[in-house]
Structure formats: C-alpha cells, structure tokens
Amino acid sequence: ALSVLSGPAEISGNTLTLTGAGSVTVEASQPGNANYAPATEQQVSFEVAQASQAITLDAISDKTYGDAPFAVNAAASSDLPVALSVLSGPAEISGNTLTLTGAGSV
C-alpha cells in the first residue's frame, strides 16, 4: 500500500497528485499474507518547487489632469490577486482604481 505521510500531496491507488509546494514523504508498505512475512516499509521524500507565474498589465494611454479616476487592469497567470502601487508621480491607487493628483509622469 502507498500512503502520503506528510506534505502537500494526495494518493489514490498508485497515482500521486501534488496539491502544493513543499516537502512530501511517501511510504510503501506490504503487510504480507499466509506465505510471506510483512515487508520492511520504505519511505521516499522529495521537494515540490513553487510554480512560476506571470503578470499581465494593460497599457494605459496618456491622460490629462482632471480626468476621472479609472481602473487599471492587471492579472496573474496563477489567478492569484495582483497588488498595484504607484511607484512615482502624481497619482494614488486604491485597489485597482487610479486617481490622478496632478500633472506629470506616473
């Protein structure tokens, strides 16, 4: 029999499904029968690396001071939430809504 002793994985029959990143330990056992003594259990451990992801950020056309606040669209290929921030320039962002606070490069 195969079983997951620890880590982000599930096993069904002899198929191991990874459910996250981290260290996984799997154990194999054979309890024996009337003719065979139980086998010594065997364990194997391995690491599951984090998956990579990419962010897509829609282009923003030039604006004029006084324009209404507008949505900035960004998405991660992992479907995880993307945090947006203003690195420089006269603007503020809350969630995905950008508000211009002056003229200049943002």
Side-chain angles (χ1 to χ4, degrees):
L2 295 173
S3 59
V4 174
L5 294 182
S6 64
E10 298 173 351
I11 198 156
S12 177
N14 67 346
T15 301
L16 184 69
T17 302
L18 303 175
T19 58
S23 181
V24 175
T25 301
V26 177
E27 180 178 75
S29 62
Q30 208 309 313
N33 63 15
N35 297 318
Y36 289 92
T40 302
E41 295 170 343
Q42 298 293 308
Q43 296 179 2
V44 63
S45 295
F46 60 95
E47 293 296 319
V48 180
Q50 290 179 307
S52 61
Q53 63 176 330
I55 294 175
T56 56
L57 178 61
D58 289 355
I60 299 172
S61 61
D62 288 345
K63 303 291 182 187
T64 301
Y65 177 69
D67 284 352
F70 58 93
V72 176
N73 297 310
S77 60
S78 62
D79 289 329
L80 292 170
V82 175
L84 298 170
S85 59
V86 175
L87 296 181
S88 65
E92 297 174 347
I93 195 156
S94 177
N96 73 327
T97 301
L98 188 83
T99 301
L100 301 173
T101 59
S105 181
V106 176

